[in-house]
Amino acid sequence: MTQAKNYIALERPVLPQPMRGRRTLWALKFTVKILTPHARLSCSQRGPVLQQAGWGPAISSSHERFVKGNTTLIRPKLTPELQLNLITPKSSMWTWGEYELDNSGIGIPYWAVYWPGGQALTKHILATPSLVRNKVILDLGSGCGSVCAAALLNGAKLAIANDVDPYALAASKVNVISNLGSAKSLILDSRNCLTPSPAVFEGVDIAWIGDMFYDSDMSLSVRRWIKEARNMGMEVFVGDPGRHAFSDEMLDTGSKTVEIGDLVLDKVGEYEMVKETTEYLEENAFTTGVVWRVA
């Protein structure tokens, strides 16, 4: 499949047969920019991790109740070690139409989808637990929080879930609790970190960035953030299935090292996407998720 076809496939998601002909949540004509996660990420202040933890995110028990009440707890096929609250045909949001979406006040629930880049990063952590053991990790644009859950399950000292959507932070907390029984080693942070200028967390050992190279503007912002993080000595891993805005070189599956602007990335893992109940989304366009380590 060519890069252009991948892009078109994302703009026109294929619906499961039972849902066709009805303007449900997933039948709406979303563009890549809206449907892909982290569309609203952007800037924060510097400071030690423990100080930053004091800036409480806009999350309440109602956000957590909504996540638990409108998703289904499942063990994804690619990462059965984890239990995650995701949208499935058993979830009430599965049949939401325009009216329900407009009146819900939650925006597009991207946090309820297990996106390919996040799947690859989570699988990589589970396959190589020594990467995160006794480390402070940051999940930039955390979505469902699978990276935080996998890292803490494998011995991370502290995990920071950063996302501007309070429902994504709630999902991260709920999913960490589902796997560890508590969220005592999880920090939730709702600040923008990308624009107007990159802002990097001090005291973080490793940053994990999944599914954020989905258009040229966001790609540029993420690249600037990564450069700043590397200058501060932070290790950075990127998960992506080969989106249009990532790099033309991603289409060459034989590439072990690629350059994106002034960044050099080494391929450290490649995982086959297992079709889930959300197969009509990006998993239908991409067959693998790749993990890259920024050199």
Side-chain angles (χ1 to χ4, degrees):
M1 180 177 287
T2 66
Q3 187 173 5
K5 288 182 180 178
N6 273 346
Y7 201 69
I8 293 171
L10 296 184
E11 290 180 320
R12 299 177 179 273
V14 179
L15 295 173
Q17 190 63 42
M19 296 177 65
R20 293 177 186 166
R22 187 176 187 277
R23 291 184 64 76
T24 61
L25 167 63
W26 306 109
L28 301 179
K29 226 176 178 183
F30 301 139
T31 64
V32 175
K33 246 180 151 176
I34 297 175
L35 185 60
T36 307
H38 321 305
R40 290 174 291 165
L41 264 175
S42 59
C43 168
S44 64
Q45 302 144 333
R46 291 170 179 261
V49 167
L50 294 182
Q51 289 181 10
Q52 294 170 357
W55 297 319
I59 175 178
S60 67
S61 57
S62 64
H63 294 105
E64 296 176 48
R65 287 196 299 270
F66 183 90
V67 170
K68 290 188 283 189
N70 292 278
T71 57
T72 306
L73 187 63
I74 65 170
R75 289 190 179 274
K77 294 176 182 176
L78 185 64
T79 56
E81 301 94 328
L82 296 182
Q83 299 182 95
L84 298 175
N85 289 268
L86 301 170
I87 188 166
T88 75
K90 296 180 180 179
S91 309
S92 59
M93 286 192 294
W94 183 267
T95 57
W96 275 15
E98 289 176 280
Y99 177 83
E100 290 89 346
L101 182 63
D102 290 342
N103 287 277
S104 69
I106 69 165
I108 304 300
Y110 64 80
W111 45 265
V113 176
Y114 202 16
W115 300 93
Q119 288 192 50
L121 290 178
T122 303
K123 180 67 176 179
H124 194 67
I125 292 172
L126 293 170
T128 53
S130 60
L131 280 175
V132 297
R133 192 169 295 127
N134 297 318
K135 300 291 181 62
V136 176
I137 73 101
L138 166 67
D139 185 4
L140 186 66
S142 57
C144 72
S146 62
V147 164
C148 290
L152 290 172
L153 196 62
N154 283 277
K157 182 188 303 182
L158 190 70
I160 304 168
N162 171 262
D163 204 296
V164 296
D165 189 331
Y167 290 97
L169 294 177
S172 296
K173 181 179 178 180
V174 166
N175 284 324
V176 165
I177 292 174
S178 294
N179 289 279
L180 286 96
S182 77
K184 64 181 181 180
S185 297
L186 176 70
I187 290 176
L188 303 178
D189 189 274
S190 63
R191 294 165 299 134
N192 286 329
C193 293
L194 298 181
T195 60
S197 60
V200 179
F201 294 75
E202 294 178 358
V204 172
D205 298 305
I206 310 175
W208 303 83
I209 305 173
D211 304 293
M212 292 183 68
F213 287 85
Y214 53 82
D215 68 28
S216 56
D217 291 338
M218 179 58 78
S219 177
L220 181 60
S221 295
V222 174
R223 281 160 45 194
R224 287 171 177 165
W225 189 93
I226 291 174
K227 185 176 180 180
E228 181 73 9
R230 291 295 294 133
N231 287 340
M232 293 179 64
M234 193 184 304
E235 194 171 10
V236 180
F237 288 85
V238 173
D240 195 275
R243 289 189 181 86
H244 181 76
F246 195 14
S247 171
D248 290 343
E249 296 172 88
M250 298 298 106
L251 295 177
D252 180 5
T253 57
S255 296
K256 298 298 182 183
T257 299
V258 297
E259 294 184 13
I260 303 179
D262 52 1
L263 296 179
V264 177
L265 296 91
D266 298 319
K267 183 189 292 187
V268 295
E270 186 168 0
Y271 303 96
E272 184 177 354
M273 291 294 100
V274 181
K275 290 186 182 296
E276 299 281 355
T277 52
T278 54
E279 64 183 15
Y280 54 93
L281 293 173
E282 288 193 311
E283 289 85 345
N284 200 44
F286 298 112
T287 59
T288 60
V290 179
V291 176
W292 303 89
R293 181 183 179 277
V294 181

